[in-house]
Every structure is written in C-alpha cells, then in structure tokens.
Amino acid sequence: MATKKKAAPATNFIKYIKWFWISFLAAFGGVIFIFLLASWGALGEMPSFEQLENPKTNLATQVISEDNEVIGTYYFNDNRTPITYDELPQNLVDALVATEDERYYEHSGIDARGTLRAVAKLGSGGGASTITQQLSKLLFTKRASSNIAERILQKVKEWVIATRLERQYTKEEIIAMYMNIYDFGYNADGIKSAANIYFGKEPKDLKVEESAMLVGMLKNSSLYNPFRRKKLTFDRRNTVLAQMVRNDLITGAEKDSLQALPMKIDFNPQSHREGLATYFRAYLQDFMRQWVEENRRADGSKWNMYRDGLRIYTTIDSRMQAYAEEAMKEHMKKLQAEFFVQNTKRRNPTAPFLDIEKRDIEKIISQAMRRSDRWKKMKARGISEKKIKESFGQKAEMKVFSWNGEIDTIMSPRDSIIYYKHFLRSGMMSMDPQTGHVKAWVGGYNYKHFQYDHVRQGKRQVGSTFKPFVYATAIDQLHLSPCDSLPNIQHCIEANKYGNIEPWCPKNSNGKYGGQRTLKDALANSINTITARLMDRVGPAPVVNLAQRMGITSPDLIEVPSIALGTPDVNLFEMVGAYSTFANYGIYQKPVMVTRIEDKNGTVLYEFVPETKDVLSKESAYVTLNLLQGVTQSGSGMRLRHSGREKWDPMYKEIITGYPYKFENTIAGKTGTTQNNSDGWFMGMVPNLVTGVWVGGEDRATHFKTTKYGQGASMALPIWAVYMKKCYENEELGISTDDFEKPSNLSIRIDCSKPANADILEDLDEDDDNLEDLGF
C-alpha cells in the first residue's frame, strides 16, 4: 500500500509536464497559425507587393521659384514633401534610433527582446514597437482600434507588414519613409515641413536640440506640442538627449549644455493665406485647376494637384518677391498713417470717402454687403434679404487687420466693411522684358484680410501711364523726334471727328499754357495739350491697335480721343507686359509665370512655349524709351534722383519712403494720376527689368484730397524705388545699371542739345570707322 501511494505524485507530475508542453506547443502553433492567417489575408486585407513597393501617401504639390526655393505648397489634408535619407541630418537619425528603437540595426522588423520585456511587464516598462512597426501602422493601419481583440489583430498585421517592409527596403529607406510620413501638427506633415514650420529651416540644417524636440514629438505630437504644453515638450526633448547619451551618441557634457538651452521656436505657419507670394499662389491655383482639366494622365484620369506631389517650376525669384513685398509694406504703412490723419471725422465727416453724398455712401456699402461671402452664404440658405441686412447690424467678435498686427474687437459686419474701406490698396508686378519671366507678383499687402488681387483681378484707370502709347504711335507713323516742339496751347478735336460726340478740349492739370514744349519735356511733365495734338494727328484707332498688340485686352479701349489721357481701366499685369515691349525693343513677350510642371518622379508634364510678336520697330521703341527717360531726369519722376527736399518739405519725411534714392543709372519711367487722385501709378524700366506699381482706394471715392499726396509720384513711385534699391544691393540678381542698347541704324534725333542730324552724322562716322577697321 505504501509503495502505491508513492507512485501517484510522480505520475501526476509527468501528466502536468505533458499538458504543459501540449499547451505551450498548441499556443505557439496557434500564434504561428494566426501570423500565417494574417499573412494570407484571412484576418483582413493585407498590402500587396505593389502597395509595399509604392505606399499610397498624399503628397503636396510644390511651388518652386526660379532660384529653386519652395515658396508654397498645395495640399488637401497632407502638407507633405518627401526627402531622401541623405537629406536627413545625422543628429536626427541618431536621436530617432536612440529613443524609438535602440536595436533598430539588429532586428528584422520585430524586436524580440523588447516584445518579451513588454509582455513580462505588461507594458509598464515601455512599448516594443520598432520604427518599422510604427511605419507599417502609419502606412496601413492609420487608426488603432479601441476594441482589444481588434487591436491585437491589428498588431499581428503590423508585425507581418513590418517584416515585409524590412525585406523590401533598406534600413535607411525605412527611416526616411517614417520621417516623411509622420504628422507633426500645424500642417507639418513629414520632417521637411516640420523643420520649416517649427524652425524655419531645411532638415539638413537642424541643430541637435531641434532634432531632439522633433523626435520627442514622435511619441504623440498632440500631447508633446511646443505651444500648448511647452514644459512637457521641453522635458520630452531632454529625455531624447538623455537617450542619446545612453547610446554613446553625444557626451554627458554635451547633454548637460543642450538640456540647459531653452526651446527656440521660429514658427512659420504654412497655409494658402500666409507666407511668400500668396497672391501669386492664388493665381497659380486657378491656373493649375484649368491645367488639370486640359491635361490628363496616359490612362485618361485627372491629376490631383492636392495629392499627387506635382512640382510647379515658376519664374518668381524668391529674393525679388521678398523685396517687393517688403517695399510695399514699408511704404503703405507710412502712406496709410498719413491717410488716417487727413481723414479723421473732424477733417472729413464722410471718411473714408471724399466729395460724395450720403446716398452714394450707402450705395457703396450696400454693394459691398452684396459681394460679401456672408451675403452669398445666407442667400444660398434661402434667408430673406431683410434678414440678411439685419444680420449685418449685429455685433460679433472678430479679428481685424491693422498695420500693428491683428486686433481682437467687437463690431458689426457693416462696421467692419466701413473700417476696411479706410485702407488704401496696392499692387505690384516685376518682369524681365526679354524672357517675359515674371519675377515678383504682389497683389496686396495682406492676403488673409485683402484677397482681391490687384495684379490680375484689379482694373483701374491708368491715367498718364497710357500716354506713351500715343507718343509711340506718333513716332512710329510720323517719325517724330523727342526734340520736336509743339505749341502748349489748348487744342480741341472737333465733335464727331473720331467718334467723339462732343468737342474734346483737354486742359493741363496745372492750368498753365504758353510757349513751345518738346515732346520729351511734354511727356516728362504730362502736358495734356501736347498729347491731344498728337492724338489728333494719328487718330485713336492706331493707338488702340498698338495697345492691343502690346497685350492690353481691356474692353474700355474704345477708339475715341479721350483714351489718350488714360481713361481705360487696365490691370497691372497687362500694363507691365505692354511696357516691356518698349524695353524689349518693340517685341511683345507674353508674361510667363510657369516654366514647367513635373510629376513626383521628375517626368516633365508641361513646358511653356514663348509667345512673342513684333509690334514696333527697334528704332521707335528706343526713341520712346528715350522720351520716358526724361520723366526721371526732369519730370514727375525726378525725385528718384534728387535729394535734400526732406529739409523743407515734411511730406518727404512723412510718406516718401526711403527718400533720398539718388539713382544715377538710366531709368525710363512714367507716373500716372487719375481724376480726383483716385489712382496713383508708376511704371519703371531698366534694360532687364520692368516693374509697375498701382496704389489707390478700393473705391474711387476713397482718395487723398490733394495731388501732392495723391499723385503717382507720391503713392506708387516710392514702392518702386525701395524695391529697386533692395534689388541693386543684391548683386547676385544682376539687375542692369547700363544704358538701353542704341540701334545701329538710328535715324531719329534724340539728343536735343545737338543740332538736327548730329546724331545721324555721328552714327555715320561710327559706320565709316567700322568700315576702315575692316579694311575698306
């Protein structure tokens, strides 16, 4: 009996051992079976080989400047621009591996030691996800399930995908993919956007502490947010630095000094309403919408400009664009301050409007209400006009623009309309006349609050800037010289001679008459009587024809004499293109904004073809340029050259931004001022750059009272001058200081200090010398 009792425990022990191994092997086999099921797709769809080879991620379309800078992106949800491993700084890679996956280079997608540790400690000792597993989750899982069973299955699939990714890609490629796909918040999708948005630099330029902060955000970018939870993010950054010491990637001394540094964020938000060239990018967006409609893929499907990672190469020079925006802001801030001073309620009870009745003011406000988004949205919802109008009187919290930053305030939508009517508006465009490449495009000074583009959308009366088309026509048809003189007395074109119903008898703006004026002097000082005589001699039809061949498409180009003084409404885009014809010696070059478009792989999808046409003879264009040089030598643009006026005229201190300019090089230009000083223009040219500037109120009733402040030389010219000064300071841009090239066969006298035919005789002498040099 005793012997039998001793055998029972041994039998039971063997039984337990047997069941343990059976259970262990069953569980192990079950795990393997689950992994096999996952790999076969039985637990849900798995990515194919092609999907692993080309993971589907939304890529932002890049807008690239002529000097190879990314000046903007178009994206739907993901502002992502991929970069290669070689573009990542080593300190970022070190921080990533040290913090997220210390044995990254030792495993094949799954860290067995880390997994066993996580299981043994039930996750309290940290997670076990490798960089590759995290990538697989970002690529194919997207969102973790809150259901435990489903999450376990997701994890299994992530492990399987991770091992496949490891077979498909190198370790370096996996790191690059991971850093490219992670969302760092604030539209910072991927490391390139994150480096730019948080630190204003490219990834390769990140410092160790900056890389540590971004790597720290990988744990949870919403939680470790440097703006919402600065202290938490700071501590997380320092944890990353400590991990780098633990892995012998930096020294203890380096860690201590880096941990002591504060977080220096240089926040550069990227949105369609902020950044460089916002108005240009808005135009380009419309251009691309049309392009994708007209240009399909090989299979007939449409390109997606927000997700396909296209690269748009533009003619904009990022440096010149920045200079143009800076020049506009510098001057408009000063000009606006003066406008506010002159339009207080005490000085002008109808401010910001001048010389109009109350009913006209109500009409302007009513039109603005009807054009607003608020009106359109409420109308679309079927709300009555009475209710809509009432809503414009209800006060609400809002942010409004000011030159000292946004203001949080409470006002009604109607009051906000009146508030914004006080602000003068401006536009500017700069172009290479030989290539047609648009170098700078500034449709306004704040796209967030003023989205109307005064380069392409805005059409305003051009005033005296139209006169060169009259003079050029006369030179081309009548072979006139800048030295030819005409009487400065009022001239009338009788009724019905050129489609004018009544006699047209323009007056000089200064009311002064008498004596003879040369064409050069008359254009320099905008003498209307001389322009009227020229218009009478050539007729309006040839002038209109010339302007149209130079790219002006305005329907206001009617064949009547009054167009000579600039009555048509024309946009800045067409005016700069037209003036470029003079600087390009009579050849019109259609403005170019996009040189080519590529897909994400670099395949060229579009290349521009230059559009040019001969409009004027080289001689006529050159003589017109000579006339326009007189504007800056002795006319309305002379303040570009002189100095000292600020000593006795306070206006030069108050609003002539950057004065004195002291330009000494050849400049051809023309100022323009419309009736009541509603519009101020300046068109300025040097041999390889033509730039136009317009300034005025949103409504013609918003203007300065006197021409001293409201003329083009005061409102627009300073922007051109400050811009050109900045361009000339950057010698890399190569902006010309040379004279315009003189035609070899010039037959028209341009030097009025010499007797008639002297220029021609000099040219003949030069030709004789050239013949002698050749041995004739």
Side-chain angles (χ1 to χ4, degrees), residues 432-478:
D432 183 326
Q434 279 76 49
T435 63
H437 287 192
V438 175
K439 301 292 187 178
W441 176 309
V442 191
Y445 44 77
N446 188 294
Y447 186 77
K448 182 178 179 180
H449 293 280
F450 306 96
Q451 294 179 23
Y452 194 72
D453 179 9
H454 287 287
V455 170
R456 195 71 182 262
Q457 289 177 299
K459 293 185 177 183
R460 297 296 288 259
Q461 279 193 345
V462 292
S464 294
T465 55
F466 194 83
K467 288 178 180 176
F469 305 128
V470 179
Y471 279 72
T473 303
I475 291 166
D476 202 46
Q477 290 192 358
L478 307 176

Side-chain angles (χ1 to χ4, degrees), residues 553-617:
T553 62
S554 172
D556 295 340
L557 280 179
I558 303 170
E559 295 178 3
V560 292
S562 60
I563 65 167
L565 302 187
T567 55
D569 285 359
V570 184
N571 64 32
L572 189 60
F573 179 84
E574 292 183 353
M575 285 297 288
V576 173
Y579 266 67
S580 292
T581 307
F582 298 131
N584 199 26
Y585 304 105
I587 300 172
Y588 171 73
Q589 171 76 62
K590 187 176 180 179
V592 178
M593 284 73 73
V594 178
T595 55
R596 74 181 187 276
I597 301 170
E598 295 179 355
D599 68 11
K600 64 181 181 181
N601 298 315
T603 303
V604 176
L605 307 175
Y606 163 87
E607 276 190 296
F608 93 101
V609 177
E611 295 183 42
T612 63
K613 57 184 172 183
D614 291 336
V615 175
L616 282 170
S617 68

Side-chain angles (χ1 to χ4, degrees), residues 83-90 92-93 175-176 179 191 203-204:
I83 61 174
T84 64
Y85 179 84
D86 292 337
E87 295 173 85
L88 297 174
Q90 188 59 46
L92 181 77
V93 175
I175 285 177
M179 296 308 296
I191 189 63
K204 62 182 175 61

Side-chain angles (χ1 to χ4, degrees), residues 10 44 66 129 143 240 246 269 395 461 485 692 700 764:
E66 194 169 55
S129 287
R143 182 173 296 176
V240 173
R246 171 178 159 166
K395 291 189 176 183
Q461 279 193 345
S485 299
R700 296 187 195 279
L764 289 173

Side-chain angles (χ1 to χ4, degrees), residues 337-352 422:
E338 179 61 30
F339 187 78
F340 281 147
V341 168
Q342 295 187 24
N343 283 276
T344 60
K345 285 296 181 183
R346 183 176 62 82
R347 291 189 175 188
N348 177 17
T350 59
H422 282 77

Side-chain angles (χ1 to χ4, degrees), residues 383-410:
I383 300 173
S384 68
E385 287 198 6
K386 182 182 177 181
K387 290 287 186 183
I388 297 174
K389 287 180 180 178
E390 288 175 357
S391 76
F392 275 83
Q394 297 170 2
K395 291 189 176 183
E397 293 182 359
M398 61 179 70
K399 288 181 183 287
V400 295
F401 171 83
S402 87
W403 277 107
N404 295 316
E406 284 187 332
I407 299 173
D408 289 304
T409 186
I410 297 175

